[in-house]
Coordinates of all heavy atoms in Angstrom, one line a residue:
M1 N 3.2 -68.7 66.6 CA 3.4 -67.9 67.9 C 3.3 -66.5 67.4 O 4.0 -66.0 66.6 CB 4.9 -68.3 68.4 CG 5.1 -67.5 69.7 SD 6.8 -67.8 70.4 CE 6.9 -69.6 70.3
N2 N 2.5 -65.7 68.2 CA 2.3 -64.3 67.9 C 3.3 -63.5 68.7 O 3.9 -64.0 69.6 CB 0.9 -63.9 68.1 CG 0.4 -63.9 69.5 OD1 1.3 -64.2 70.4 ND2 -0.9 -63.9 69.7
I3 N 3.3 -62.2 68.4 CA 4.4 -61.4 68.9 C 4.0 -61.1 70.4 O 5.0 -60.9 71.2 CB 4.4 -60.0 68.1 CG1 5.7 -59.2 68.5 CG2 3.1 -59.2 68.2 CD1 6.9 -59.6 67.9
E4 N 2.8 -61.0 70.8 CA 2.5 -60.7 72.2 C 3.0 -61.9 73.1 O 3.3 -61.7 74.2 CB 1.0 -60.4 72.4 CG 0.6 -59.1 71.7 CD -0.9 -59.1 71.2 OE1 -1.3 -60.2 71.0 OE2 -1.3 -58.1 71.0
Y5 N 2.8 -63.1 72.6 CA 3.2 -64.3 73.3 C 4.8 -64.2 73.5 O 5.2 -64.5 74.7 CB 2.8 -65.5 72.6 CG 3.1 -66.8 73.3 CD1 2.1 -67.2 74.2 CD2 4.2 -67.5 73.1 CE1 2.3 -68.4 75.0 CE2 4.5 -68.8 73.8 CZ 3.5 -69.2 74.7 OH 3.7 -70.3 75.4
R6 N 5.5 -63.8 72.5 CA 6.9 -63.6 72.6 C 7.3 -62.6 73.6 O 8.2 -62.7 74.3 CB 7.5 -63.4 71.2 CG 8.9 -63.6 70.9 CD 9.3 -65.0 71.1 NE 10.7 -64.9 71.1 CZ 11.4 -65.2 72.2 NH1 10.9 -65.9 73.2 NH2 12.8 -65.0 72.2
F7 N 6.6 -61.4 73.5 CA 6.9 -60.4 74.5 C 6.6 -60.8 75.9 O 7.4 -60.5 76.9 CB 6.1 -59.1 74.1 CG 6.7 -58.3 73.1 CD1 6.0 -57.9 72.0 CD2 8.0 -57.7 73.3 CE1 6.6 -57.1 71.0 CE2 8.5 -57.0 72.2 CZ 7.8 -56.6 71.2
L8 N 5.6 -61.7 76.1 CA 5.3 -62.1 77.5 C 6.4 -63.0 78.0 O 6.8 -63.0 79.1 CB 4.0 -62.8 77.5 CG 3.5 -63.4 78.8 CD1 3.5 -62.3 79.9 CD2 2.2 -64.0 78.7
Q9 N 6.9 -63.9 77.1 CA 8.0 -64.8 77.5 C 9.2 -64.0 77.8 O 9.8 -64.3 78.9 CB 8.3 -65.6 76.3 CG 7.4 -66.8 76.1 CD 7.8 -67.6 74.9 OE1 8.3 -67.2 73.9 NE2 7.4 -69.0 74.9
K10 N 9.5 -62.9 77.1 CA 10.7 -62.1 77.4 C 10.5 -61.3 78.8 O 11.4 -61.1 79.5 CB 10.9 -61.1 76.3 CG 12.0 -60.2 76.4 CD 13.3 -60.9 76.2 CE 14.5 -59.8 76.0 NZ 15.6 -60.0 76.8
A11 N 9.2 -60.9 79.0 CA 8.9 -60.1 80.2 C 9.1 -61.1 81.4 O 9.5 -60.7 82.5 CB 7.5 -59.6 80.2
I12 N 8.8 -62.4 81.3 CA 8.9 -63.3 82.4 C 10.5 -63.5 82.6 O 10.9 -63.5 83.9 CB 8.3 -64.7 82.1 CG1 6.8 -64.5 82.1 CG2 8.7 -65.7 83.1 CD1 6.0 -65.6 81.5
V13 N 11.2 -63.6 81.6 CA 12.7 -63.8 81.8 C 13.4 -62.5 82.4 O 14.2 -62.7 83.4 CB 13.3 -64.1 80.4 CG1 14.9 -64.1 80.6 CG2 12.9 -65.6 80.0
D14 N 13.0 -61.4 81.9 CA 13.6 -60.2 82.4 C 12.9 -59.7 83.7 O 13.3 -58.6 84.2 CB 13.4 -59.0 81.4 CG 14.3 -59.4 80.1 OD1 15.1 -60.2 80.2 OD2 14.1 -58.7 79.1
K15 N 11.8 -60.3 84.2 CA 11.1 -59.9 85.4 C 10.5 -58.5 85.3 O 10.7 -57.7 86.2 CB 11.9 -60.1 86.6 CG 12.4 -61.5 86.9 CD 13.1 -61.6 88.2 CE 13.3 -63.2 88.4 NZ 13.9 -63.5 89.6
N16 N 9.9 -58.2 84.1 CA 9.2 -57.0 83.9 C 7.8 -57.1 84.3 O 7.1 -58.1 84.1 CB 9.3 -56.5 82.5 CG 10.7 -56.0 82.1 OD1 11.7 -56.7 82.2 ND2 10.8 -54.8 81.7
D17 N 7.2 -56.0 84.9 CA 5.7 -56.0 85.0 C 5.0 -55.9 83.6 O 5.6 -55.4 82.7 CB 5.3 -54.8 85.9 CG 5.8 -55.0 87.4 OD1 6.1 -56.1 87.7 OD2 5.8 -54.0 88.2
V18 N 3.7 -56.3 83.7 CA 2.9 -56.2 82.5 C 1.6 -55.5 82.9 O 1.2 -55.6 84.0 CB 2.7 -57.5 81.7 CG1 4.0 -58.0 81.2 CG2 2.0 -58.6 82.6
S19 N 0.9 -55.1 81.9 CA -0.5 -54.7 82.1 C -1.3 -55.1 80.9 O -0.8 -55.2 79.8 CB -0.7 -53.2 82.2 OG -0.3 -52.5 81.1
F20 N -2.6 -55.4 81.1 CA -3.5 -55.9 80.0 C -4.8 -55.8 80.4 O -5.2 -55.5 81.5 CB -3.1 -57.3 79.6 CG -3.0 -58.3 80.8 CD1 -4.2 -58.9 81.2 CD2 -1.9 -58.6 81.4 CE1 -4.2 -59.8 82.3 CE2 -1.8 -59.4 82.5 CZ -3.0 -60.0 82.9
A21 N -5.7 -56.0 79.4 CA -7.2 -56.1 79.7 C -7.6 -57.7 79.6 O -7.1 -58.3 78.6 CB -8.0 -55.3 78.7
Y22 N -8.4 -58.1 80.5 CA -8.8 -59.5 80.5 C -10.3 -59.5 80.9 O -10.6 -59.1 82.0 CB -7.9 -60.3 81.5 CG -8.2 -61.8 81.6 CD1 -7.7 -62.6 80.6 CD2 -9.0 -62.3 82.6 CE1 -7.9 -64.0 80.7 CE2 -9.3 -63.6 82.7 CZ -8.7 -64.5 81.7 OH -8.9 -65.8 81.9
E23 N -11.0 -60.0 80.0 CA -12.5 -60.1 80.2 C -13.1 -58.8 80.6 O -13.8 -58.7 81.7 CB -12.8 -61.3 81.2 CG -12.6 -62.7 80.6 CD -12.9 -63.7 81.5 OE1 -13.2 -63.5 82.7 OE2 -12.9 -64.9 81.0
N24 N -12.9 -57.8 80.0 CA -13.4 -56.4 80.2 C -12.9 -55.8 81.5 O -13.6 -54.9 82.0 CB -14.9 -56.4 80.1 CG -15.3 -56.8 78.7 OD1 -14.7 -56.5 77.7 ND2 -16.5 -57.5 78.7
K25 N -11.9 -56.3 82.1 CA -11.2 -55.7 83.3 C -9.8 -55.4 83.0 O -9.1 -56.1 82.2 CB -11.2 -56.6 84.5 CG -12.6 -56.9 85.1 CD -12.5 -57.8 86.4 CE -13.9 -57.9 86.9 NZ -13.8 -58.8 88.1
S26 N -9.4 -54.2 83.6 CA -8.0 -53.8 83.3 C -7.1 -54.3 84.5 O -7.4 -54.0 85.7 CB -7.9 -52.2 83.1 OG -6.7 -51.8 82.9
Y27 N -6.0 -54.8 84.1 CA -5.0 -55.2 85.2 C -3.7 -54.4 84.9 O -3.2 -54.5 83.8 CB -4.7 -56.7 85.1 CG -5.9 -57.6 85.5 CD1 -6.9 -58.0 84.5 CD2 -6.1 -57.9 86.8 CE1 -7.9 -58.7 84.8 CE2 -7.3 -58.6 87.2 CZ -8.2 -59.1 86.2 OH -9.3 -59.8 86.6
K28 N -3.1 -53.9 85.9 CA -1.9 -53.1 85.8 C -0.9 -53.5 86.8 O -1.2 -54.0 87.9 CB -2.2 -51.5 86.0 CG -3.1 -51.0 85.0 CD -3.3 -49.6 85.2 CE -4.2 -49.0 84.0 NZ -4.3 -47.6 83.9
N29 N 0.4 -53.4 86.4 CA 1.5 -53.9 87.3 C 1.4 -55.3 87.7 O 1.6 -55.5 89.0 CB 1.7 -52.8 88.5 CG 2.0 -51.5 88.0 OD1 2.7 -51.3 87.0 ND2 1.6 -50.5 88.8
I30 N 1.1 -56.2 86.9 CA 1.0 -57.6 87.1 C 2.5 -58.2 87.0 O 3.1 -57.9 86.1 CB 0.2 -58.3 86.1 CG1 -1.3 -57.7 86.2 CG2 0.0 -59.8 86.3 CD1 -2.0 -57.8 87.4
K31 N 2.8 -59.1 87.9 CA 4.1 -59.7 87.9 C 3.9 -61.2 87.3 O 3.4 -62.0 87.9 CB 4.7 -59.8 89.3 CG 5.0 -58.6 89.9 CD 5.4 -58.7 91.4 CE 5.7 -57.4 92.0 NZ 4.8 -56.3 91.9
P32 N 4.2 -61.3 86.0 CA 4.1 -62.7 85.3 C 5.2 -63.6 85.9 O 6.3 -63.3 86.0 CB 4.3 -62.3 83.8 CG 5.2 -61.2 83.9 CD 4.9 -60.3 85.1
L33 N 4.7 -64.7 86.3 CA 5.6 -65.8 86.9 C 6.0 -66.9 85.9 O 7.1 -67.3 85.8 CB 5.0 -66.3 88.1 CG 4.7 -65.3 89.2 CD1 4.0 -65.9 90.4 CD2 5.9 -64.6 89.7
K34 N 5.0 -67.5 85.2 CA 5.3 -68.5 84.2 C 4.1 -68.7 83.3 O 3.0 -68.3 83.5 CB 5.6 -69.8 84.9 CG 4.4 -70.5 85.6 CD 4.8 -71.9 86.2 CE 3.6 -72.5 86.8 NZ 3.8 -73.9 87.1
L35 N 4.5 -69.3 82.1 CA 3.4 -69.8 81.1 C 3.6 -71.2 81.1 O 4.6 -71.8 81.0 CB 3.8 -69.2 79.7 CG 3.3 -67.8 79.4 CD1 3.9 -67.4 78.1 CD2 1.8 -67.8 79.2
D36 N 2.4 -71.9 81.1 CA 2.4 -73.3 81.1 C 2.1 -73.7 79.6 O 1.9 -72.9 78.7 CB 1.5 -74.0 82.0 CG 0.0 -73.6 81.8 OD1 -0.3 -73.1 80.8 OD2 -0.8 -74.0 82.7
S37 N 2.0 -75.1 79.4 CA 1.9 -75.6 78.0 C 0.4 -75.3 77.5 O 0.3 -75.5 76.3 CB 2.2 -77.1 78.0 OG 1.4 -77.8 78.8
E38 N -0.4 -75.0 78.4 CA -1.8 -74.8 77.9 C -2.1 -73.3 77.7 O -3.3 -72.9 77.7 CB -2.8 -75.4 78.9 CG -2.7 -76.9 79.0 CD -3.5 -77.4 80.2 OE1 -4.2 -76.7 80.8 OE2 -3.5 -78.7 80.4
N39 N -1.0 -72.6 77.6 CA -1.2 -71.1 77.4 C -1.9 -70.3 78.5 O -2.7 -69.4 78.2 CB -1.8 -70.7 76.0 CG -0.9 -71.0 74.9 OD1 0.3 -71.1 75.0 ND2 -1.4 -71.2 73.7
R40 N -1.6 -70.7 79.7 CA -2.2 -70.0 80.8 C -1.0 -69.3 81.5 O 0.1 -69.9 81.8 CB -2.8 -71.0 81.8 CG -4.1 -71.5 81.4 CD -4.7 -72.4 82.4 NE -3.9 -73.5 82.6 CZ -4.2 -74.6 83.3 NH1 -5.4 -74.7 83.8 NH2 -3.3 -75.6 83.5
L41 N -1.2 -68.0 81.9 CA -0.3 -67.2 82.6 C -0.5 -67.2 84.0 O -1.7 -66.8 84.5 CB -0.4 -65.8 82.1 CG 0.3 -64.7 82.7 CD1 1.8 -64.9 82.7 CD2 0.0 -63.3 82.3
T42 N 0.4 -67.6 84.8 CA 0.5 -67.6 86.2 C 1.1 -66.3 86.7 O 2.2 -66.1 86.3 CB 1.1 -68.8 86.8 OG1 0.5 -70.1 86.3 CG2 1.0 -68.9 88.3
S43 N 0.4 -65.5 87.5 CA 1.0 -64.3 88.0 C 0.7 -64.2 89.5 O 0.1 -65.0 90.1 CB 0.4 -63.1 87.2 OG -1.0 -63.0 87.6
D44 N 1.1 -63.0 90.0 CA 0.9 -62.8 91.4 C -0.6 -62.4 91.6 O -1.0 -62.5 92.8 CB 1.7 -61.6 91.9 CG 1.5 -60.3 91.2 OD1 1.1 -60.3 89.9 OD2 1.7 -59.2 91.8
K45 N -1.4 -62.1 90.7 CA -2.7 -61.8 90.9 C -3.7 -62.9 90.5 O -4.9 -62.7 90.5 CB -3.1 -60.5 90.0 CG -2.3 -59.3 90.2 CD -2.7 -58.7 91.6 CE -1.7 -57.4 91.7 NZ -2.0 -56.6 92.8
G46 N -3.2 -64.0 90.0 CA -4.0 -65.1 89.6 C -3.5 -65.7 88.3 O -2.5 -65.6 87.8
I47 N -4.5 -66.6 87.8 CA -4.2 -67.4 86.5 C -5.0 -66.8 85.5 O -6.3 -66.7 85.7 CB -4.4 -68.9 86.7 CG1 -3.5 -69.4 87.8 CG2 -4.2 -69.6 85.4 CD1 -3.7 -70.8 88.2
F48 N -4.5 -66.5 84.3 CA -5.1 -66.0 83.1 C -4.9 -66.8 81.9 O -3.8 -67.3 81.6 CB -4.7 -64.5 82.9 CG -4.7 -63.6 84.0 CD1 -3.7 -63.4 84.9 CD2 -6.0 -62.9 84.3 CE1 -3.8 -62.6 85.9 CE2 -6.0 -62.1 85.4 CZ -5.0 -61.9 86.2
E49 N -6.0 -66.9 81.0 CA -5.7 -67.6 79.7 C -5.2 -66.5 78.8 O -5.8 -65.6 78.6 CB -7.2 -68.2 79.2 CG -7.6 -69.3 80.0 CD -9.0 -69.8 79.6 OE1 -9.0 -69.9 78.2 OE2 -9.9 -70.3 80.2
F50 N -4.2 -67.0 78.1 CA -3.5 -66.0 77.2 C -4.4 -65.6 76.0 O -4.3 -64.5 75.6 CB -2.2 -66.6 76.7 CG -1.4 -65.6 75.8 CD1 -0.7 -64.6 76.3 CD2 -1.4 -65.7 74.4 CE1 -0.1 -63.7 75.7 CE2 -0.7 -64.9 73.6 CZ -0.1 -63.8 74.3
G51 N -5.3 -66.5 75.6 CA -6.0 -66.2 74.4 C -7.1 -65.1 74.7 O -7.7 -64.4 73.9
K52 N -7.4 -64.8 76.0 CA -8.4 -63.8 76.4 C -7.7 -62.5 76.7 O -8.4 -61.6 77.1 CB -9.2 -64.3 77.6 CG -10.1 -65.5 77.2 CD -10.9 -65.9 78.5 CE -11.7 -67.1 78.1 NZ -12.4 -67.6 79.3
I53 N -6.4 -62.4 76.8 CA -5.7 -61.2 77.1 C -5.7 -60.2 75.9 O -5.4 -60.6 74.7 CB -4.2 -61.4 77.5 CG1 -4.3 -62.2 78.8 CG2 -3.5 -60.2 77.5 CD1 -2.9 -62.7 79.3
K54 N -6.0 -59.0 76.1 CA -6.0 -57.9 75.1 C -5.3 -56.7 75.6 O -5.1 -56.6 76.8 CB -7.5 -57.5 74.8 CG -8.3 -58.6 74.2 CD -9.7 -58.2 73.7 CE -10.6 -59.1 73.1 NZ -10.7 -60.3 72.9
K55 N -4.9 -55.9 74.7 CA -4.2 -54.7 75.0 C -2.9 -54.9 76.0 O -2.7 -54.3 76.9 CB -5.0 -53.6 75.6 CG -6.2 -53.2 74.7 CD -7.0 -52.2 75.4 CE -8.2 -51.8 74.6 NZ -9.1 -50.8 75.2
F56 N -2.1 -56.0 75.5 CA -1.0 -56.3 76.3 C 0.2 -55.4 76.2 O 0.5 -54.9 75.1 CB -0.5 -57.7 75.8 CG 0.7 -58.2 76.5 CD1 0.5 -58.7 77.7 CD2 2.0 -58.1 76.0 CE1 1.7 -59.3 78.4 CE2 3.0 -58.6 76.6 CZ 2.9 -59.1 77.8
V57 N 0.8 -54.9 77.3 CA 1.8 -54.0 77.4 C 2.9 -54.5 78.4 O 2.4 -54.8 79.5 CB 1.3 -52.5 77.8 CG1 2.5 -51.5 77.9 CG2 0.3 -52.0 76.8
V58 N 4.1 -54.5 78.0 CA 5.2 -54.8 78.8 C 5.7 -53.4 79.5 O 6.0 -52.5 78.7 CB 6.4 -55.5 78.2 CG1 7.6 -55.7 79.1 CG2 5.9 -56.8 77.6
L59 N 5.8 -53.3 80.8 CA 6.2 -52.1 81.5 C 7.6 -52.2 81.8 O 8.3 -53.2 81.9 CB 5.3 -51.9 82.8 CG 3.8 -52.0 82.6 CD1 3.1 -52.0 83.9 CD2 3.3 -50.8 81.7
K60 N 8.2 -51.0 82.0 CA 9.7 -50.9 82.3 C 10.0 -51.3 83.6 O 11.2 -51.6 84.0 CB 10.2 -49.5 82.0 CG 10.1 -49.2 80.5 CD 10.7 -47.8 80.2 CE 10.6 -47.5 78.8 NZ 11.1 -46.2 78.5
E61 N 9.1 -51.2 84.6 CA 9.3 -51.6 85.9 C 9.6 -53.1 86.1 O 9.1 -53.9 85.5 CB 8.1 -51.3 86.9 CG 7.8 -49.8 87.0 CD 6.9 -49.3 85.8 OE1 6.1 -50.1 85.2 OE2 6.9 -48.2 85.5
R62 N 10.5 -53.3 87.1 CA 11.0 -54.7 87.3 C 10.6 -55.1 88.8 O 10.5 -54.2 89.6 CB 12.4 -54.9 87.1 CG 13.0 -54.7 85.7 CD 14.4 -54.8 85.6 NE 14.8 -54.6 84.3 CZ 15.3 -55.6 83.5 NH1 15.5 -56.8 84.0 NH2 15.6 -55.3 82.3
F63 N 10.4 -56.4 88.9 CA 10.0 -56.9 90.2 C 11.2 -57.7 90.8 O 12.1 -58.1 90.1 CB 8.7 -57.6 90.3 CG 8.6 -58.8 89.5 CD1 9.0 -60.1 90.0 CD2 8.2 -58.8 88.1 CE1 8.9 -61.2 89.4 CE2 8.0 -59.9 87.5 CZ 8.4 -61.1 88.0

């Protein structure tokens, strides 16, 4: 388990917004809702594969 995965789990529990790059697109102020067993992130903006997420940042804003 890498550190970004752990930070994402903590962001989901604490209800923090996140931002990241996914397939050469930048996503900001995403509300992560859950991670499933296949490492897919379900959020308010869609479903993302965790392996393709780059430049992951947990933001201080809460939802």
Side-chain angles (χ1 to χ4, degrees):
M1 180 181 311
N2 65 14
I3 192 78
E4 289 150 344
Y5 189 82
R6 196 62 197 118
F7 277 123
L8 181 56
Q9 288 177 325
K10 181 78 169 129
I12 292 170
V13 171
D14 292 346
K15 296 188 177 184
N16 286 60
D17 289 346
V18 297
S19 67
F20 52 83
Y22 184 80
E23 294 183 344
N24 298 325
K25 289 186 179 179
S26 179
Y27 293 90
K28 296 185 179 187
N29 295 329
I30 303 293
K31 295 171 178 55
L33 302 175
K34 70 175 186 170
L35 271 171
D36 64 11
S37 60
E38 298 172 3
N39 288 338
R40 287 185 297 190
L41 169 64
T42 304
S43 71
D44 62 331
K45 305 283 183 178
I47 299 174
F48 304 95
E49 290 184 39
F50 184 75
K52 295 180 181 179
I53 292 176
K54 296 186 179 4
K55 298 181 183 178
F56 178 77
V57 177
V58 176
L59 305 173
K60 293 183 181 180
E61 293 86 26
R62 295 177 179 251
F63 61 92

